[in-house]
């Protein structure tokens, strides 16, 4: 099995989380979904990749929400044996002065076009390890700093060692977010100058060689998204993996900053949208940051009715999503409207079954689903309930929400409670449903079944955002702040609508949202009576202008030609 993959050099793609399929809960949100889409596109395009992640046997968590909107977290256990096969090789890494053994599961990602990619899921739950070490790879983003550092040692150091032990020839390393930056330390240990090449006063490590081998994608301008560990902790847990002077030189003088380490050990650094690359340059002066705007996997994020439609009118769209650029001229309006109607009915049924809320097929659905945390501002739409009711009084609409809050994000949990309170306050005027346990399946149902995809982040914190791209594949236009990918994707009235302008102050944004809904979007939806031709034109604009571009095939072709092969 493994032999199928080790005969040619591969790009090793390291990610703390990865969304392989709905039954495997080894992801928390957008970062993991992007990692999954990366490997899915690599499979379709037959790019030789090997993904490395953690087995996360207890997943991120399963979200339960009570009637008050209080979130509780249950372990989301899965059985690796059902989906992956155990590999023979084992290696050890030093943690707290002892050897912690690491094995791996081979998950073979099979693309819908027959391409296959190996995914290694690292696992410390081995008989050789003592009890607490067996849990290092159990809880995705669980535990404290010490636990996180241990996970990152397993991922970075362990991943590189295991690839080597299994016989992989790695041509390039892709550090997908700083979590896996410790892989660079293992490479430094591998590439040490021979005594005759070494210049006095200089690092014993061949840093240029390691930089040549690595690319790094940074994913967020939010400070908490960048791991930092005190050197006291690093010393206690990791010891001296590389010499401390070099480490401080590469990872920061005060504490070990994983982002800085990745920046210093990667020749090619990438931000996930044009604006995000600029913001990252300002955050890390002196580094060159390229922009490769994210994309989503075409087949995965297209609902069944739209797959059928594209197969019929634009065959080959799955491999060349550029073909979707023709959707505006080549697909009849009625076929688009019918496919959307099917996806919408499926969402309405899901909402009824999961929440008891009954939605109306003729009334537009606003969809909003994302990680529940302060900067995403899921409450912006509800900041003036009287105004919202007044808008709904003349042109009705309904709302479907979903999203998890990190177990330790108290503010995020409070937001979920508030959203439930708003839903009660709007009862009888605006139907509001909250779908629990946001996952891949719920996401597809939502982005395809909604009529309008809403996003209201506080700028400039939305690095990219990808759910609006998924909506575009299903002919669903966005109404969004001009941040992240939407700065590039928004053509006003053609692919969707902007809230406010790119420079406006944050305090007027709720009004801008209400104004746009009341004066532009809802009249536009209803303005055509029984002929939704104008709206369908925007649906087609979303497909032909945005799905054709904001897909992970384009993203991977760019990563390949600009980062992996230079
Ligand atoms: C796409 C997706 C996300 C990320 O969406 P954003 O728009 O980037 O917030 C998070 N969770 C799930 C389950 C997704 O499918």
């Amino acid at each position: 099995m493994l032999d199928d993959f080790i005969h040619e050099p591969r790009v090793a793609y390291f990610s703390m989380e990865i969304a392989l399929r709905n039954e495997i809960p080894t992801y928390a949100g957008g970062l993991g979904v992007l990692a999954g889409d990366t490997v899915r596109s690599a499979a379709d395009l037959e790019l030789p990749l090997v993904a490395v992640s953690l087995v996360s046997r207890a997943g991120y968590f399963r979200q339960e929400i009570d009637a008050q909107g209080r979130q509780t977290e249950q372990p989301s256990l899965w059985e690796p044996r059902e989906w992956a096969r155990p590999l023979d090789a084992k290696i050890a890494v030093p943690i707290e002065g002892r050897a912690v053994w690491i094995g791996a599961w081979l998950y073979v990602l099979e693309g819908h076009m027959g391409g296959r990619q190996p995914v290694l899921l690292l696992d410390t739950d081995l008989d050789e390890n003592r009890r607490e070490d067996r849990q290092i790879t159990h809880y995705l983003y669980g535990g404290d700093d010490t636990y996180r550092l241990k996970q990152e040692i397993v991922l970075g150091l362990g991943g590189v060692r295991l690839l080597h032990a299994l016989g992989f020839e790695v041509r390039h390393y892709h550090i997908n977010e700083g979590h896996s930056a410790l892989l660079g330390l293992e490479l430094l240990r591998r590439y040490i100058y021979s005594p005759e090449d070494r210049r006095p006063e200089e690092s014993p490590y061949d840093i240029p060689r390691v930089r040549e081998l690595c690319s790094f994608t940074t994913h967020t301008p939010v400070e908490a998204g960048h791991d930092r560990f005190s050197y006291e902790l690093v010393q206690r847990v990791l010891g001296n993996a590389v010499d401390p002077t070099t480490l401080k030189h590469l990872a920061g003088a005060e504490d070990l900053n994983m982002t800085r380490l990745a920046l210093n050990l990667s020749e090619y650094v990438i931000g996930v949208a044009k604006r995000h690359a600029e913001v990252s340059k300002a955050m890390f002066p002196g580094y060159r940051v390229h922009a490769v705007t994210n994309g989503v996997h075409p087949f995965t994020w297209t609902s069944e009715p739209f797959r059928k439609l594209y197969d019929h009118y634009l065959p080959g769209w799955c491999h060349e999503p550029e073909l979707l650029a023709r959707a505006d001229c080549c697909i009849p309006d009625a076929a688009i409207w019918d496919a959307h109607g099917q996806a919408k009915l499926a969402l309405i049924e899901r909402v009824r079954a999961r929440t008891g809320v009954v939605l109306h097929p003729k009334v537009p659905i606003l969809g909003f689903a994302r990680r529940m945390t302060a900067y995403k501002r899921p409450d912006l739409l509800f900041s003036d309930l009287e105004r919202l009711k007044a808008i709904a009084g003349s042109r009705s609409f309904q709302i479907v929400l979903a999203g998890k809050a990190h177990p330790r994000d108290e503010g995020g949990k409070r937001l979920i409670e508030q959203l439930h309170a708003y839903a009660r306050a709007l009862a009888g005027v605006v139907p509001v449903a909250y779908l629990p346990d946001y996952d891949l399946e719920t996401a597809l149902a939502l982005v395809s079944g909604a009529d309008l995809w809403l996003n209201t982040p506080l700028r400039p914190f939305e690095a990219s955002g990808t759910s609006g791209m998924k909506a575009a594949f299903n002919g669903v236009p966005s109404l969004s702040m001009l941040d992240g990918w939407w700065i590039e994707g928004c053509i006003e009235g053609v692919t969707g609508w902007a809230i406010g302008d790119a420079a406006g102050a944050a305090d007027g944004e709720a009004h801008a949202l209400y104004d746009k809904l009341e004066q532009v979007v809802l009249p536009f939806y209803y303005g055509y009576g029984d002929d939704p031709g104008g709206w369908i034109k925007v649906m087609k604009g979303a497909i032909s202008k945005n799905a054709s571009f904001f897909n992970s095939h384009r993203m991977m072709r760019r990563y390949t030609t600009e980062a992996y092969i230079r």
Side-chain angles (χ1 to χ4, degrees):
M1 194 56 165
L2 197 63
D3 292 344
D4 297 354
F5 301 118
I6 55 180
H7 64 278
E8 61 178 331
R10 291 183 169 265
V11 174
Y13 179 82
F14 278 66
S15 183
M16 183 82 139
E17 53 171 304
I18 187 163
L20 298 167
R21 55 187 301 140
N22 208 51
E23 295 88 342
I24 302 183
T26 52
Y27 65 96
L31 180 67
V33 175
L34 183 83
D37 284 356
T38 295
V39 184
R40 281 182 276 273
S41 275
D44 294 349
L45 300 173
E46 300 189 27
L47 306 170
L49 218 74
V50 51
V52 182
S53 190
L54 302 182
V55 73
S56 300
R57 283 168 180 267
Y60 181 45
F61 65 86
R62 191 162 49 74
Q63 180 192 48
E64 286 179 5
I65 302 178
D66 70 13
Q68 259 50 57
R70 282 179 301 233
Q71 168 182 298
T72 48
E73 301 95 25
Q74 308 299 332
S76 181
L77 298 167
W78 72 290
E79 182 48 68
R81 198 168 296 276
E82 284 178 23
W83 300 102
R85 58 191 69 197
L87 295 171
D88 288 334
K90 282 177 199 150
I91 51 88
V93 293
I95 289 180
E96 289 172 348
R98 61 186 178 272
V100 170
W101 287 89
I102 304 170
W105 298 85
L106 174 66
Y107 175 87
V108 178
L109 186 144
E110 303 197 7
H112 65 103
M113 300 177 65
R116 296 153 82 238
Q117 295 289 348
V119 179
L120 303 180
L121 299 171
L122 307 180
D123 192 356
T124 61
D125 195 352
L126 305 176
D127 292 337
E128 289 86 340
N129 291 329
R130 57 156 95 171
R131 233 184 92 149
E132 70 168 299
D133 294 339
R134 294 178 70 148
Q135 303 212 346
I136 293 176
T137 52
H138 272 21
Y139 305 98
L140 178 60
Y141 303 131
D144 56 9
D145 269 11
T146 308
Y147 185 76
R148 175 71 73 89
L149 179 58
K150 290 178 183 175
Q151 289 193 323
E152 297 190 1
I153 293 169
V154 169
L155 180 63
L157 265 62
V160 173
R161 289 183 191 181
L162 203 73
L163 283 169
H164 186 69
L166 289 168
F168 279 96
E169 186 189 333
V170 178
R171 58 184 298 165
H172 198 81
Y173 293 85
H174 190 161
I175 302 169
N176 186 48
E177 191 51 308
H179 309 123
S180 53
L182 296 179
L183 74 83
L185 300 188
E186 182 63 15
L187 295 178
L188 288 177
R189 288 157 50 95
R190 188 181 288 176
Y191 300 111
I192 295 181
Y193 286 122
S194 60
E196 55 272 23
D197 289 344
R198 186 178 166 188
R199 273 164 290 177
E201 312 299 317
E202 278 199 9
S203 166
Y205 305 100
D206 189 349
I207 294 173
R209 173 128 188 228
V210 172
R211 284 176 54 93
E212 200 49 51
L213 275 173
C214 296
S215 297
F216 168 47
T217 303
T218 176
H219 284 268
T220 179
V222 177
E223 192 51 47
H226 300 261
D227 285 336
R228 290 158 171 268
F229 301 106
S230 77
Y231 281 116
E232 183 260 318
L233 179 70
V234 173
Q235 178 61 37
R236 183 165 62 73
V237 177
L238 180 60
N240 287 333
V242 301
D243 100 78
T245 317
T246 306
L247 187 60
K248 288 195 173 169
H249 171 67
L250 294 170
E254 277 109 67
D255 46 19
L256 192 160
N257 180 326
M258 295 293 279
T259 302
R260 205 157 280 284
L261 181 63
L263 285 169
N264 284 326
L265 287 180
S266 302
E267 193 64 40
Y268 203 84
V269 177
I270 303 125
V272 291
K274 288 191 167 73
R275 171 62 55 87
H276 176 236
E278 287 164 20
V279 171
S280 300
K281 265 186 241 172
M283 279 177 87
F284 312 111
Y287 294 91
R288 212 169 150 211
V289 183
H290 304 263
V292 177
T293 302
N294 279 346
V296 299
H297 185 250
F299 184 82
T300 303
W301 293 110
T302 302
S303 63
E304 191 62 36
F306 274 90
R307 283 180 190 168
K308 285 205 186 112
L309 195 66
Y310 299 153
D311 281 345
H312 183 75
Y313 290 99
L314 300 165
W317 67 280
C318 258
H319 190 251
E320 280 182 288
E322 297 87 337
L323 288 170
L324 295 174
R326 300 165 164 251
D328 51 355
C329 307
C330 297
I331 306 181
D333 281 11
I336 296 264
W337 194 240
D338 179 61
H340 175 65
Q342 292 177 46
K344 185 168 179 178
L345 284 182
L347 175 63
I348 289 174
E349 173 50 25
R350 174 178 286 259
V351 167
R352 191 200 57 74
R354 308 264 157 110
T355 70
V357 176
V358 178
L359 303 176
H360 198 290
K362 291 240 169 182
V363 175
I365 296 175
L366 272 60
F368 181 100
R370 41 193 43 85
R371 192 151 53 85
M372 290 294 157
T373 194
Y375 86 85
K376 297 272 194 181
R377 296 194 301 187
D379 51 344
L380 192 77
L381 177 65
F382 304 95
S383 43
D384 182 346
L385 293 184
E386 292 314 310
R387 177 95 197 264
L388 202 58
K389 284 185 189 168
I391 297 171
S394 53
R395 292 187 182 89
S396 56
F397 57 89
Q398 33 199 5
I399 300 169
V400 183
L401 307 162
K404 297 177 178 178
H406 186 279
R408 283 195 309 276
D409 183 352
E410 290 305 326
K413 289 184 173 180
R414 251 193 325 275
L415 281 168
I416 298 176
E417 280 190 65
Q418 279 169 8
L419 293 177
H420 282 75
Y422 296 139
R424 287 192 297 274
L426 290 167
V429 188
V430 183
V432 181
Y434 199 108
L435 285 171
D437 207 31
Y438 189 37
D439 60 7
L440 299 181
E441 216 181 87
T442 312
L444 180 58
L446 260 164
V447 296
S448 60
D451 293 283
L452 184 69
W453 195 248
L454 186 68
N455 194 16
T456 53
L458 181 66
R459 288 167 301 152
F461 296 114
E462 184 82 325
S464 166
T466 50
S467 53
M469 303 174 185
K470 301 168 191 168
F473 268 90
N474 297 283
V476 174
S478 284
L479 170 61
S480 174
M481 304 294 312
L482 286 170
D483 197 13
W485 83 283
W486 193 235
I487 298 174
E488 297 161 58
C490 179
I491 307 173
E492 185 72 10
V494 176
T495 60
W497 297 271
I499 300 166
D501 56 44
D507 53 8
E509 285 172 351
H511 292 295
L513 168 58
Y514 292 135
D515 290 349
K516 192 55 78 73
L517 254 186
E518 181 174 47
Q519 290 152 28
V520 179
V521 180
L522 290 171
F524 192 71
Y525 186 89
Y526 283 108
Y528 293 83
D530 284 336
D531 171 19
W535 188 264
I536 295 172
K537 203 157 176 232
V538 181
M539 295 178 74
K540 286 180 163 183
I543 300 166
S544 58
K545 302 270 188 299
N546 282 351
S548 66
F549 183 82
F550 295 97
N551 58 74
S552 49
H553 280 26
R554 183 232 356 123
M555 179 185 84
M556 285 311 286
R557 288 185 172 116
R558 283 201 60 199
Y559 271 128
T560 303
T561 53
E562 292 166 49
Y564 303 158
I565 304 174
R566 267 176 295 119

